[in-house]
Amino acid sequence: MYKLNKYIKKYPYLKEIISKKGEHTEVSEEIVNIYKTKYDFLKKYTFNKYRKKRNQMTSSGSWLSKNKDDSIDIVGDVLTTVSVFKFIDENYDLESIRLFEIFKYIYHTVGNYLPMGEGGNLGGYPGTDNFSRKLYLIKQVFDNEIEKDLSKQDYDSSKDNEIRKKIEDGKSLGSSKSNLHYWIKTEWIDKNKNWDDFIDENYLNEMVDENKRPIYWGKNEYNWNLKNLKPNELNRIIAYCIKMIIYRGYRVCYKSKSKKIDNVEELKDIMNYLNLNKYFL
């Protein structure tokens, strides 16, 4: 396995985030403090920790709040979990094994965690817990809520139900479908912030194409299961996940939002060291 120890002291976005109290990393004190200090739209939120188990959290942990009855508290979600690659074993393609080992190493780094409204966890069944599906659903909610505002009485409610069902199919927490809609509506759209703002404010630039559409995980928006892909197709996806996490981690740590970072020397050096450049020619 590639050792990244030589880089860790130099680059904070490669440092593994380890919860000191044993809770899920995405709601640990360590990562929620990063949400508070590195995400401008969260700087006015209040930090809370370990007082009680939150209604929509699978374990106790930390969260951010506005101290208003009608606001959604902020917790966190993992963008891409190890579970989506867990079918890769010692009998698999050697390059797939190598890439999976690298992914596991950078899995718990800052670039793989996203602040979310409480109850907005979009993970669930194997294969669904990846950045592509999550952004695809969040964008649909943005588009749908904006259409509601524009059309008013003429809005076709069946569209809303279709999106909620897609979220329902992969959700792991009880009220994910309602809280996600409410959070996006009240904390983004009602404040004149759109999908492009969401991408910039959350440092998600590497996860969308030039038209701000989420990068598809597989061959299309519904192809969440990677098990049947050919090794070269699978390896390209794993390599892209690794690059996305590292690049996004750089953006978060240095609060680098919309500007291009492809030519940052330290990132190029890391990609070269990990032998990933061949996937992005």
Side-chain angles (χ1 to χ4, degrees), residues 130-183:
N130 64 76
F131 77 85
S132 178
R133 175 182 176 275
K134 292 175 182 181
L135 285 195
Y136 167 74
L137 291 173
I138 292 171
K139 185 178 186 304
Q140 282 203 307
V141 175
F142 263 96
D143 293 343
N144 191 55
E145 294 296 330
I146 290 173
E147 184 179 343
K148 276 187 195 178
D149 281 352
L150 293 175
S151 57
K152 302 297 181 185
Q153 299 299 323
D154 296 327
Y155 174 73
D156 181 1
S157 61
S158 64
K159 292 181 181 179
D160 193 48
N161 292 332
E162 288 174 7
I163 296 171
R164 289 170 186 262
K165 185 177 185 304
K166 289 177 184 177
I167 295 173
E168 176 93 11
D169 286 341
K171 72 184 177 64
S172 60
L173 298 177
S175 65
S176 293
K177 56 181 181 178
S178 59
N179 278 9
L180 180 63
H181 283 73
Y182 182 79
W183 180 59

Side-chain angles (χ1 to χ4, degrees), residues 107-118:
Y107 169 71
H108 283 303
T109 58
V110 65
N112 201 27
Y113 293 96
L114 178 71
M116 286 283 286
E118 184 181 43

Side-chain angles (χ1 to χ4, degrees), residues 226-242:
L226 306 180
K227 195 170 183 178
N228 297 322
L229 292 180
K230 296 178 181 179
N232 63 318
E233 296 174 321
L234 173 63
N235 294 344
R236 191 174 297 110
I237 289 175
I238 306 173
Y240 187 83
C241 274
I242 294 168

Side-chain angles (χ1 to χ4, degrees), residues 1 6 12 32 45 49 62 111 162 178 186 242-243 258 266:
M1 175 185 162
K6 68 182 237 182
V32 175
Y45 279 68
K49 64 175 181 178
S62 301
E162 288 174 7
S178 59
T186 58
I242 294 168
K243 179 180 179 180
S258 57
E266 65 191 60

Side-chain angles (χ1 to χ4, degrees), residues 213-226:
R213 294 176 301 196
I215 301 291
Y216 284 155
W217 181 251
K219 295 179 179 178
N220 58 63
E221 63 197 45
Y222 301 107
N223 184 21
W224 312 121
N225 190 345
L226 306 180

Side-chain angles (χ1 to χ4, degrees), residues 76-275:
D77 196 10
V78 182
L79 285 167
T80 302
T81 68
V82 171
S83 67
V84 299
F85 301 122
K86 69 179 181 180
F87 58 87
I88 298 175
D89 58 26
E90 68 275 6
N91 298 315
Y92 231 76
D93 174 70
L94 290 178
E95 177 67 355
S96 299
I97 295 172
R98 182 185 79 88
L99 292 171
F100 186 32
E101 287 300 312
I102 297 172
F103 176 82
K104 286 190 287 186
Y105 190 92
I106 54 97
Y107 169 71
H108 283 303
T109 58
V110 65
N112 201 27
Y113 293 96
L114 178 71
M116 286 283 286
E118 184 181 43
N121 184 307
L122 292 172
Y125 308 120
T128 67
D129 216 350
N130 64 76
F131 77 85
S132 178
R133 175 182 176 275
K134 292 175 182 181
L135 285 195
Y136 167 74
L137 291 173
I138 292 171
K139 185 178 186 304
Q140 282 203 307
V141 175
F142 263 96
D143 293 343
N144 191 55
E145 294 296 330
I146 290 173
E147 184 179 343
K148 276 187 195 178
D149 281 352
L150 293 175
S151 57
K152 302 297 181 185
Q153 299 299 323
D154 296 327
Y155 174 73
D156 181 1
S157 61
S158 64
K159 292 181 181 179
D160 193 48
N161 292 332
E162 288 174 7
I163 296 171
R164 289 170 186 262
K165 185 177 185 304
K166 289 177 184 177
I167 295 173
E168 176 93 11
D169 286 341
K171 72 184 177 64
S172 60
L173 298 177
S175 65
S176 293
K177 56 181 181 178
S178 59
N179 278 9
L180 180 63
H181 283 73
Y182 182 79
W183 180 59
I184 289 175
K185 177 69 167 65
T186 58
E187 296 300 313
W188 294 89
I189 295 173
D190 286 353
K191 295 179 180 178
N192 295 316
K193 292 184 177 181
N194 58 25
W195 169 248
D196 289 3
D197 296 315
F198 186 87
I199 293 298
D200 288 341
E201 292 290 327
N202 285 285
Y203 308 103
L204 297 165
N205 311 72
E206 274 66 49
M207 297 165 61
V208 296
D209 63 19
E210 63 274 11
N211 296 311
K212 296 294 179 76
R213 294 176 301 196
I215 301 291
Y216 284 155
W217 181 251
K219 295 179 179 178
N220 58 63
E221 63 197 45
Y222 301 107
N223 184 21
W224 312 121
N225 190 345
L226 306 180
K227 195 170 183 178
N228 297 322
L229 292 180
K230 296 178 181 179
N232 63 318
E233 296 174 321
L234 173 63
N235 294 344
R236 191 174 297 110
I237 289 175
I238 306 173
Y240 187 83
C241 274
I242 294 168
K243 179 180 179 180
M244 178 273 294
I245 292 171
I246 293 174
Y247 275 52
R248 183 170 180 271
Y250 174 93
R251 288 188 182 278
V252 172
C253 286
Y254 301 123
K255 300 184 71 171
S256 177
K257 293 182 181 177
S258 57
K259 73 175 186 178
K260 294 185 179 297
I261 59 173
D262 288 335
N263 292 321
V264 173
E265 287 300 324
E266 65 191 60
L267 293 174
K268 291 165 65 176
D269 183 35
I270 293 168
M271 291 296 105
N272 183 59
Y273 178 74
L274 296 176
N275 195 22

